[in-house]
Amino acid sequence: MALSLPERLPGFVGRLPAPPPGLLRPVFQQLIAGMLRRHPEMFERLGEYGRRRFLIDPVDLPVIFIMRPDAERPLLTPHRRGEAVVWEAAVRGPLPKLISMVNGEEDGDALFFSRDIVIEGDTEAVLALRNAIDDAGIDLVEETEALLGPFAGVLAALRKRAVPLLEAAARIAGAARAAAGRAHDKAGAHDGAGEDGGRGAEGAS
Amino acid sequence: MSLELVCPAGTPSSLREAVDAGAHAVYCGFRDETNARNFPGLNFSRKELEEAIAYAHERGAKVLVAINTFAQAGRMALWEQAVDDAASMGADALILADLGVADYAARKHPGQRLHLSVQASASSPEAIGFYVREFGVKRVVLPRVLTLPEIAALNAEIDCETEVFVFGGLCVMAEGRCLLSSYATGKSPNMNGVCSPPSHVAYSEREGGEMVSRLGEFTINTFAAGEKAGYPTLCKGRFEAGGRKLYVFEDPTSLNAVDMLGEFAKAGVTALKIEGRQRSKAYVRKVVSDFRRAVDALESGEAAHTSLASLSEGTQETEGVYRKTWR
């Protein structure tokens, strides 16, 4: 299912307090266990790279994730941004871009060329993960709906409302940035910030 | 006969995507050192290739299997097995580079159509004539070092079809003979199927958003915050020379020859190749459908420009050596 997502989430989302990771942990564990059930070929394609610990860092969220896509013992745990975590390979980027890449709607190399996505650590493992996910045809919406079972309808209704809301919020944030930029320019400052001025607002963990 | 569009597939889902997007033929390889895109998480198991060939054939598309690295002494069995398996699965052609592998394929599977990989770097009538005469090669994939007039002149002198790259990563060296990756890492596309193997690539972010890319012990590039990036290959590296920091060999840029399709047809070219077996199915979907539209438009006498800069290395496009403006 193609999602219409903004380039990145509005800045305030990243400043929200992170939900208690302890509460989220069973949900994400269920999510990766479900992915293993529905896409065993992805874990098979990953082979030995499935035993690496990947840091998934949606830079516009207050949480980060550690994932070990191991067919024997899959793991997906949320952590508060800033919490010390151990990882061997990292993928960082705005949540909408990460979702588009996982859903097969945007090309990982293109996101790397445009600097939307940053990778660190074990490059080989990141490449293997990206290729395996791309082949598996993951759809995060369907995965989440499968997780929710009978409550999937609630998610669908929420999604219908949330996406336009997020897009509107992103447009408002963009307009506010542009207005701030114009005010800044009028004040005689020239710092070279363009339309891209919003990128990289949050650092890594 | 219209131009044949030959499209990349690094995974089974990319192959299905390419076929659905209008590829006339798809090229792919086994998950081992026999193909020149031996990257982690890519390529086909035997079972996957069998299913992929069935999928393509049901929809009228061909599957070309790349077995295009150079076989290593004492390990020939790996390449021979790949040839036997691809032939028995009904591959429409095998794309080969190594003389020994070509000889084996021609003798063991005399009815099998053979193409000569760009990795063989055959660019003269004499070299191509040898492969045609000795192994019955039906098509040669031309290295990206020839100009359009050179391609036309070559086609007038050879007895086989030619295939040219029209989109994707631009290898600026003579393929099959480039030793840069081997020099830096000990691994090369020629022998191991990997150029700048990811096991030797490292990226790091510096304060202020600078990104440094390294290959083995070499710093390939330092990109300023927001500056468009390229692959970590030595040929696209930015180095200090003569007191200046510059791209010594080539900028990070991709080939896009979509505006030259008519000229390729006039020059006697048979097939157009899209690079990118290491790219995602999103790339395959977009590039293949755009180029299929362009090929169809050419047939109906129209022009169909397409800009695919957002998918290109460094988000820049070039027509490369085809329109050589330098000497």
Side-chain angles (χ1 to χ4, degrees):
Chain A
M1 181 181 297
L3 279 177
S4 169
L5 293 170
E7 291 287 302
R8 60 185 299 140
L9 299 180
F12 72 84
V13 178
R15 292 189 290 275
L16 293 172
L23 277 179
L24 295 177
R25 216 153 270 169
V27 178
F28 283 99
Q29 197 52 41
Q30 279 297 313
L31 182 68
I32 195 162
M35 283 165 72
L36 175 59
R37 274 196 308 277
R38 278 183 295 283
H39 304 282
E41 75 287 352
M42 178 181 96
F43 292 77
E44 189 265 329
R45 184 168 277 275
L46 263 169
E48 59 171 301
Y49 301 105
R51 287 193 281 277
R52 306 287 203 282
R53 291 170 73 93
F54 294 89
L55 166 67
I56 312 296
D57 179 0
V59 296
D60 41 9
L61 281 189
V63 286
I64 56 172
F65 300 89
I66 291 293
M67 178 169 76
R68 193 184 57 219
D70 180 359
E72 302 292 315
R73 286 193 307 144
L75 183 84
L76 180 61
T77 54
H79 300 265
R80 282 195 180 91
R81 182 169 296 285
E83 191 182 325
V85 287
V86 178
W87 51 269
E88 281 120 23
V91 185
R92 307 179 199 277
L95 181 68
K97 293 292 179 192
L98 294 174
I99 292 175
S100 296
M101 187 167 64
V102 171
N103 281 2
E105 289 151 19
E106 288 203 65
D107 177 67
D109 283 12
L111 291 172
F112 169 79
F113 297 149
S114 62
R115 307 283 300 278
D116 284 303
I117 296 285
V118 172
I119 64 177
E120 274 185 89
D122 186 339
T123 310
E124 199 168 35
V126 173
L127 215 55
L129 178 67
R130 187 202 68 180
N131 292 335
I133 288 176
D134 195 57
D135 181 58
I138 302 272
D139 182 322
L140 281 175
V141 174
E142 283 176 15
E143 295 301 325
T144 313
E145 284 175 352
L147 179 71
L148 292 175
F151 300 106
V154 179
L155 176 76
L158 277 174
R159 191 177 68 239
K160 269 188 194 153
R161 289 169 190 280
V163 171
L165 272 176
L166 281 174
E167 285 174 339
R171 276 198 301 277
I172 292 165
R177 270 203 305 274
R182 280 195 298 277
H184 193 58
D185 285 348
K186 273 186 189 164
H190 297 284
D191 61 2
E195 290 176 0
D196 203 25
R199 67 175 285 125
E202 280 86 20
S205 62
Chain B
M1 171 66 189
S2 63
L3 289 163
E4 179 181 312
L5 193 57
V6 182
C7 306
T11 61
S13 69
S14 286
L15 182 139
R16 293 191 294 273
E17 202 76 54
V19 170
D20 296 349
H24 298 120
V26 184
Y27 65 104
C28 54
F30 289 122
R31 208 182 295 172
D32 57 34
E33 286 175 81
T34 61
N35 93 81
R37 279 287 178 275
N38 180 26
F39 287 101
L42 279 190
N43 299 317
F44 292 64
S45 67
R46 263 50 177 179
K47 182 170 172 283
E48 285 169 343
L49 186 64
E50 210 160 8
E51 290 166 357
I53 290 174
Y55 184 89
H57 285 178
E58 278 164 21
R59 290 157 183 80
K62 295 181 218 163
V63 176
L64 320 179
V65 180
I67 305 171
N68 60 343
T69 46
F70 292 89
Q72 294 154 27
R75 299 184 60 216
M76 190 68 189
L78 184 66
W79 280 263
E80 290 177 351
Q81 191 63 53
V83 166
D84 292 343
D85 290 346
S88 72
M89 285 173 193
D92 295 279
L94 310 184
I95 310 172
L96 311 176
D98 182 83
L99 279 172
V101 176
D103 181 60
Y104 175 82
R107 281 188 294 106
K108 186 85 186 290
H109 305 281
Q112 177 66 55
R113 185 178 167 91
L114 304 181
H115 291 183
L116 190 65
S117 169
V118 68
Q119 284 291 105
S121 207
S123 54
S124 69
E126 291 78 8
I128 294 167
F130 173 79
Y131 288 101
V132 172
R133 193 173 62 244
E134 297 300 322
F135 311 121
V137 161
K138 295 283 187 290
R139 180 185 296 176
V140 56
V141 185
L142 295 179
R144 285 161 277 195
V145 295
L146 298 172
T147 64
L148 188 63
E150 284 168 343
I151 292 169
L154 191 64
N155 273 326
E157 287 192 56
I158 59 175
D159 288 327
C160 74
E161 301 169 356
T162 51
E163 180 174 308
V164 298
F165 282 91
V166 288
F167 187 83
L170 186 61
C171 196
V172 292
M173 303 299 172
E175 285 102 332
R177 296 176 192 170
C178 177
L179 297 174
L180 286 174
S181 177
S182 187
Y183 174 71
T185 70
K187 290 190 170 185
S188 72
N190 317 332
M191 305 303 284
N192 315 95
V194 278
C195 178
S196 289
S199 53
H200 291 67
V201 172
Y203 299 103
S204 54
E205 288 267 309
R206 286 180 182 161
E207 230 166 279
E210 261 191 353
M211 180 181 73
V212 180
S213 61
R214 289 192 181 82
L215 178 67
E217 293 173 3
F218 297 87
T219 298
I220 298 287
N221 213 333
T222 304
F223 298 99
E227 185 184 8
K228 305 304 179 196
Y231 286 123
T233 57
L234 277 170
C235 60
K236 307 277 179 71
R238 186 159 44 184
F239 306 108
E240 208 169 307
R244 287 194 302 146
K245 274 189 184 164
L246 73 165
Y247 289 103
V248 174
F249 302 110
E250 174 65 300
D251 291 6
T253 182
S254 290
L255 178 71
N256 185 357
V258 72
D259 294 333
M260 302 178 68
L261 304 191
E263 292 168 87
F264 286 130
K266 279 186 199 138
V269 167
T270 301
L272 310 171
K273 184 167 213 140
I274 293 168
E275 186 274 349
R277 279 194 282 153
Q278 78 284 17
R279 303 293 291 265
S280 68
K281 57 179 188 271
Y283 166 97
V284 169
R285 186 188 313 131
K286 172 72 177 148
V287 179
V288 174
S289 55
D290 278 16
F291 266 84
R292 177 58 192 264
R293 228 181 348 264
V295 168
D296 291 346
L298 180 70
E299 246 183 277
S300 55
E302 299 159 28
H305 175 78
T306 182
S307 172
L308 294 161
S310 66
L311 289 167
S312 299
E313 194 175 355
T315 65
Q316 297 184 89
E317 299 177 323
T318 174
E319 288 179 335
V321 181
Y322 294 138
R323 287 196 211 283
K324 196 172 181 180
T325 52
W326 68 96
R327 251 355 286 181

